[in-house]
Amino acid sequence: MTSSHTDCHFCLQSLRGRKYALREENAYCVPCYDSLYANPCEECKQPIECNSKDLAYKGRHWHEGCFRCAKCSRSLVEKPFAAKDEVLLCTECYSEEYSSKCFHCLKTIMPGSRKMEFKGSSWHESCFVCQYCRQPLGTKPLITKDNENYCVPCFEKQFAHHCYACKKVIISGGVTYDDQPWHKECFVCAVCKTQLSSQRFISKDEYPYCVDCFSKFCAKKCATCKKPITALGGAKYISFEERQWHGECFTCSKCSVSLVGQEFLTRQDDILCHKCGSA
């Protein structure tokens, strides 16, 4: 360098014919400048001399040859890189160590590429598609079955059941009765419309009824006690010539002995045991 400076500002030795460095308009010989102002290299801890290239990142400094990936040791000079816990990594190593893996293809989702997240997992945008039609799902409504995602139209086409009552698709839940699917909210008493999914019910002509409505509107009446015969819980009843009896009511009209499983006789509206009927 040529300058009007003639002596080193620190050691006062002549700078004529020698290299020197300027700092705050003061000239220093190279040894003085390096000892006073050279930054220590983060990698090798040696000073970065004024005739060496000083690479700086967030207040830290490296020799050009020391500025490299902490994992694969490749040079990061003029290449994209990332820092993790103050350690420098090339984008490939950073992605391998810290980037999300695609739930579908299990490959790394590279920094800067679009990532889709669903139920705690990540996908490449190109992998987050309907399993059936292969169209991107993006932010569309979707349904998951056996860890595969489907757009709503494809799921309905492939898997969904239609409610026996309203004929609409059952997306989730539902009730099965008489081998037919129902929405939970559609599985109601045919008379009073009370939901039956969590209570006892009786069926007639393929439709369910709550116990009260069945007893009131559908059940046959016992010929003896005149109360409804519901057969609820598997209770037995007796039927003879268009008349029905509760099992416990099917007794001899005269002596009240049970006639269940016994021979009996009829006299007008009475039923009689063999002994009473023969007297």
Side-chain angles (χ1 to χ4, degrees):
M1 294 182 183
T2 55
S3 170
S4 59
H5 298 89
T6 58
D7 298 323
C8 171
H9 184 71
F10 184 74
C11 69
L12 303 180
Q13 293 187 22
S14 174
L15 297 176
R16 294 183 183 277
R18 300 172 62 191
K19 291 182 178 180
Y20 64 90
L22 291 174
R23 184 181 177 86
E24 297 177 354
E25 298 185 356
N26 294 315
Y28 297 83
C29 64
V30 171
C32 287
Y33 183 90
D34 288 342
S35 65
L36 293 172
Y37 302 114
N39 294 305
C41 175
E42 288 286 330
E43 177 66 20
C44 69
K45 310 305 180 185
Q46 297 300 312
I48 304 173
E49 300 172 341
C50 65
N51 58 356
S52 299
K53 193 171 184 178
D54 185 334
L55 300 180
Y57 174 71
K58 289 188 175 182
R60 297 186 296 158
H61 301 263
W62 288 263
H63 289 106
E64 184 176 14
C66 294
F67 194 62
R68 56 195 177 193
C69 174
K71 185 176 181 182
C72 69
S73 299
R74 285 182 292 184
S75 174
L76 298 177
V77 177
E78 297 183 357
K79 294 181 180 179
F81 64 90
K84 180 69 174 179
D85 300 329
E86 297 188 354
V87 174
L88 302 185
L89 298 167
C90 64
T91 54
E92 291 82 358
C93 290
Y94 182 89
S95 298
E96 183 177 342
E97 288 289 324
Y98 302 109
S99 292
S100 302
K101 300 293 190 296
C102 177
F103 183 83
H104 177 73
C105 70
L106 304 181
K107 295 181 180 179
T108 299
I109 302 175
M110 298 297 289
S113 60
R114 190 172 182 186
K115 178 174 67 174
M116 310 302 297
E117 295 189 355
F118 179 65
K119 290 187 176 181
S121 298
S122 302
W123 280 263
H124 290 110
E125 184 178 23
S126 58
C127 293
F128 194 59
V129 298
C130 171
Q131 179 66 17
Y132 185 73
C133 69
R134 312 307 299 174
Q135 293 299 307
L137 290 170
T139 57
K140 297 177 183 177
L142 61 93
I143 301 173
T144 300
K145 177 180 174 61
D146 299 331
N147 288 329
E148 299 288 358
N149 300 318
Y150 298 84
C151 63
V152 174
C154 285
F155 182 86
E156 292 179 356
K157 182 178 180 180
Q158 295 296 307
F159 305 109
H161 298 289
H162 290 77
C163 176
Y164 184 78
C166 71
K167 310 306 179 186
K168 295 181 180 179
V169 170
I170 300 173
I171 299 299
S172 62
V175 176
T176 299
Y177 165 65
D178 198 22
D179 294 328
Q180 297 292 346
W182 306 61
H183 288 114
K184 184 177 180 180
E185 59 272 19
C186 292
F187 190 62
V188 298
C189 173
V191 177
C192 69
K193 306 305 179 185
T194 300
Q195 285 197 12
L196 300 175
S197 58
S198 59
Q199 61 176 290
R200 302 174 82 180
F201 63 91
I202 305 172
S203 63
K204 179 179 172 61
D205 300 329
E206 298 184 354
Y207 287 95
Y209 296 82
C210 67
V211 174
D212 290 342
C213 286
F214 185 87
S215 298
K216 184 176 181 180
F217 298 103
C218 304
K220 297 181 183 298
K221 303 299 189 292
C222 176
T224 299
C225 70
K226 310 305 180 185
K227 294 180 180 180
I229 300 174
T230 63
L232 189 64
K236 294 181 178 180
Y237 69 96
I238 311 300
S239 180
F240 177 71
E241 292 184 350
E242 298 184 356
R243 289 190 294 167
Q244 289 79 32
W245 292 263
H246 293 110
E248 62 272 17
C249 294
F250 192 59
T251 60
C252 176
S253 300
K254 188 173 182 179
C255 70
S256 299
V257 68
S258 174
L259 297 177
V260 177
Q262 305 297 320
E263 293 184 356
F264 62 91
L265 302 172
T266 62
R267 183 176 297 162
Q268 296 179 348
D269 290 338
D270 291 335
I271 53 172
L272 302 166
C273 66
H274 194 271
K275 181 179 179 180
C276 292
S278 301

